[in-house]
Amino acid sequence: MISLLDPDNPEEHFPPVENAEQEPDGLLAVGGDLSPTRLLNAYRHGIFPWYSSEQPILWWAPDPRTVLFPESIKISRSLAKTLRNRNYQFTFDTAFSEVINACAMPQPGREETWITEEMKQAYIQLHQLGFAHSAEIRENNRLVGGLYGIAIGRVFFGESMFSLERDASKIALVHLAHSLADKEFGLIDCQVYTSHLISLGAEEIERRHFCDLLQRFCNQPGFIGSWTEGIDES
């Protein structure tokens, strides 16, 4: 049974993820709010919000879960060629608002966005608090790709990515994975299956295993604050 969350009580507990519906896969709860307290609590327990503008806030915990272990990132021959031949520059946290706005724009095959104005403001607030981060790709000082997500402990919860030039979002993910591997992050949460992510080394694991990994890695020392100058432990 889907739980109804109280919008006036951001500290209330989420129901166990095992209660999530099988159809639609992973729907766990409805309502609540997008306060930092509730969002961080959700991610720690393997839950994320995903809804459109005409819907209430919907909270999901699908099974299986798509993840990428940072050290397992795959670089195809064509991607390696792009890395060699394009003059792309990689940065962290220099254009968070621009990245989330770009991710919200319609893209081929996706005419509508789930990144509502309410969602944008919630994640910008998390960025200001040092939990949400963006990875940017520029070419000739023009922002051409990137991604954003949440970092808790040594887990990065990826939210969305965009690309205006060839392979720009893939290259953002490659640089992110390498940076996180260097800092001994254990996991990048990719949420749901896409062939794009699988081609880069992502895999599906059981939700139970995913939650066990969250218990292990979210409780390790974190990296709260701006990553502009690199990922520094808080």
Side-chain angles (χ1 to χ4, degrees), residues 2-229:
I2 299 172
S3 297
L4 182 64
L5 301 179
D6 180 359
D8 297 320
N9 182 17
E11 295 184 356
E12 73 177 312
H13 295 295
F14 281 92
V17 295
E18 293 79 13
N19 291 5
E21 297 289 309
Q22 292 185 338
E23 184 61 42
D25 180 29
L27 182 58
L28 178 68
V30 176
D33 66 343
L34 296 177
S35 65
T37 297
R38 195 186 300 267
L39 281 169
L40 294 173
N41 183 37
Y43 283 105
R44 282 182 172 276
H45 290 89
I47 302 162
F48 60 88
W50 189 19
Y51 64 102
S52 58
S53 58
E54 69 275 7
Q55 295 175 320
I57 301 173
L58 304 177
W59 300 89
W60 302 81
D63 187 18
R65 191 67 164 242
T66 302
V67 303
L68 174 62
F69 297 100
E71 68 279 5
S72 298
I73 189 76
K74 290 182 180 178
I75 302 176
S76 66
R77 289 184 178 179
S78 62
L79 185 57
K81 183 178 179 180
T82 303
L83 279 163
R84 289 194 305 269
N85 296 338
R86 298 295 290 261
N87 186 31
Y88 286 152
Q89 302 87 44
F90 174 77
T91 55
F92 277 126
D93 284 348
T94 64
F96 186 88
S97 295
E98 291 89 337
V99 168
I100 196 171
N101 283 329
C103 288
M105 295 294 290
Q107 298 182 24
R110 190 192 73 189
E111 300 306 318
E112 296 184 1
T113 179
W114 55 269
I115 305 175
T116 65
E117 189 61 34
E118 183 184 24
M119 290 278 276
K120 287 182 189 178
Q121 295 307 312
Y123 287 86
I124 288 172
Q125 185 178 9
L126 281 176
H127 174 64
Q128 293 168 342
L129 293 171
F131 290 100
H133 303 280
S134 58
E136 303 97 15
I137 296 294
R138 289 183 175 85
E139 186 175 36
N140 298 322
N141 294 319
R142 171 177 167 249
L143 186 67
V144 296
L147 59 86
Y148 75 96
I150 309 297
I152 302 176
R154 280 179 164 80
V155 179
F156 187 87
F157 299 87
E159 276 296 310
S160 187
M161 58 177 62
F162 81 99
S163 187
L164 302 180
E165 296 291 345
R166 179 181 176 86
D167 291 335
S169 63
K170 291 182 179 180
I171 291 172
L173 183 58
V174 167
H175 281 291
L176 172 70
H178 287 165
S179 297
L180 297 182
D182 287 343
K183 294 298 183 180
E184 298 182 339
F185 271 66
L187 191 66
I188 299 173
D189 174 30
C190 302
Q191 297 182 348
V192 295
Y193 177 99
T194 68
S195 57
H196 173 85
L197 291 167
I198 297 300
S199 72
L200 289 163
E203 59 188 89
E204 290 186 303
I205 63 174
E206 292 183 356
R207 181 174 57 207
R208 179 175 58 184
H209 180 36
F210 174 71
C211 289
D212 288 342
L213 291 172
L214 293 187
Q215 285 290 316
R216 176 183 173 188
F217 289 113
C218 282
N219 292 320
Q220 293 185 12
F223 298 82
I224 301 170
S226 176
W227 289 0
T228 305
E229 302 298 328

